Amino acid sequence: MMYAVLLLALVATVLGFTSGPPVGSTYPNLCTDMIPTGHNGGMSRADDTDNPPYTITASADEYMRGSSLTVTITGTGGNQFEGFFIQARRADPARDNDVAIGTFSSPPATTQLLTCHNVENSAWGHSNSMTRSSIEATWTAPAQDEGPIKFMATIVKGVPDRDYFYLNVMSSQISFNATGGVTGAPTQQPVTPTSGVVTPTSGGPSHSRSVSVTLALVAALLASFLSIHKY
Ligand SMILES: *[C@@H]1O[C@H](CO)[C@@H](O)[C@H](O)[C@H]1NC(C)=O
């Protein structure tokens, strides 16, 4: 049993499985700058970082108060991806563009909703670094006029390794339509982080590499203790 744990921990460590964007107090800037500092210090080794081989599309080119749309991340030219971290942001440069807007729902398996800027489910990311070609979830607008918005993502290609990623992958702008919409929609007032501290959604997705290393160390210590003492 201990050896199984040790083996699993070692395999996970070597392969670099991740449990998703480690939002939370350990990485206080992650929700805002969306830079994966656990991947080569946040410096992508991808060749053409200005031309990400990914598109982000929405099922509508406008949103209304409380309305929902489907957001899809797709690899182009046969490219796939292993990790992603996405938020909606205000697109009007005259407004605060650094906070997540609206909320995500219906995350498929192997993905998770995340809390950024003190708003639950305001970000969406992977929870397992499996290879994928396309993935979608629902995004719901807040009740107030946020002006035009766009989706912004960090996408980890993962090939040849996790140091290959793309920042600032953007959708087209989605404009606000004041005509329709749900009048009783909940009002969302994202809090601009002054302390920079964000709260994880559920128990806190941790950075699995360090967790794996810790697990491996604990398992190795226990295994050697058991073999010495022959229990
Ligand atoms: C806004 O939404 C209303 C109601 O659905 C629609 O009739 C109108 O054409 C939309 N306006 C724009 C500018 O798209």
Side-chain angles (χ1 to χ4, degrees):
M1 170 58 195
M2 269 310 157
Y3 291 103
V5 171
L6 174 62
L7 194 64
L8 276 176
L10 284 177
V11 167
T13 304
V14 170
L15 296 183
F17 288 155
T18 83
S19 56
V23 299
S25 54
T26 310
Y27 297 93
N29 301 321
L30 181 59
C31 279
T32 302
D33 64 24
M34 301 180 81
I35 297 173
T37 52
H39 299 235
N40 197 37
M43 300 285 289
S44 178
R45 299 179 64 200
D47 291 334
D48 196 2
T49 49
D50 290 338
N51 294 292
Y54 303 103
T55 57
I56 303 173
T57 53
S59 57
D61 57 10
E62 59 178 28
Y63 71 93
M64 294 176 255
R65 297 172 201 283
S67 74
S68 294
L69 45 82
T70 301
V71 193
T72 308
I73 304 175
T74 309
T76 58
N79 283 284
Q80 295 182 307
F81 55 105
E82 293 185 1
F84 68 96
F85 180 38
I86 185 170
Q87 297 171 14
R89 293 286 181 91
R90 298 184 186 103
D92 178 354
R95 299 191 185 211
D96 179 358
N97 312 117
D98 289 333
V99 291
I101 298 298
T103 54
F104 290 89
S105 57
S106 308
T110 76
T111 76
Q112 61 186 324
L113 303 179
L114 300 163
T115 296
C116 277
H117 309 120
N118 301 321
V119 177
E120 230 175 274
N121 307 334
S122 58
W124 171 43
H126 67 286
S127 57
N128 167 322
S129 59
M130 63 177 286
T131 302
R132 43 194 123 223
S133 307
S134 181
I135 199 151
E136 64 180 45
T138 302
W139 177 82
T140 301
Q144 67 270 21
D145 176 0
E146 297 287 5
I149 60 112
K150 65 193 171 195
F151 291 95
M152 182 169 129
T154 295
I155 299 179
V156 179
K157 183 174 180 180
V159 176
D161 62 41
R162 64 204 303 277
D163 296 346
Y164 291 72
F165 61 85
Y166 295 83
L167 299 176
N168 300 319
V169 184
M170 301 280 188
S171 71
S172 309
Q173 283 195 19
I174 296 157
S175 50
F176 175 68
N177 181 335
T179 308
V182 184
T183 44
T187 303
Q188 179 197 330
Q189 278 156 347
V191 181
T192 304
T194 44
S195 63
V197 173
V198 293
T199 324
T201 300
S202 56
S206 50
H207 199 278
S208 77
R209 182 169 277 193
S210 52
V211 169
S212 300
V213 170
T214 309
L215 259 179
L217 284 173
V218 167
L221 283 173
L222 279 169
S224 60
F225 180 83
L226 289 176
S227 65
I228 289 163
H229 294 267
K230 301 247 189 291
Y231 284 142

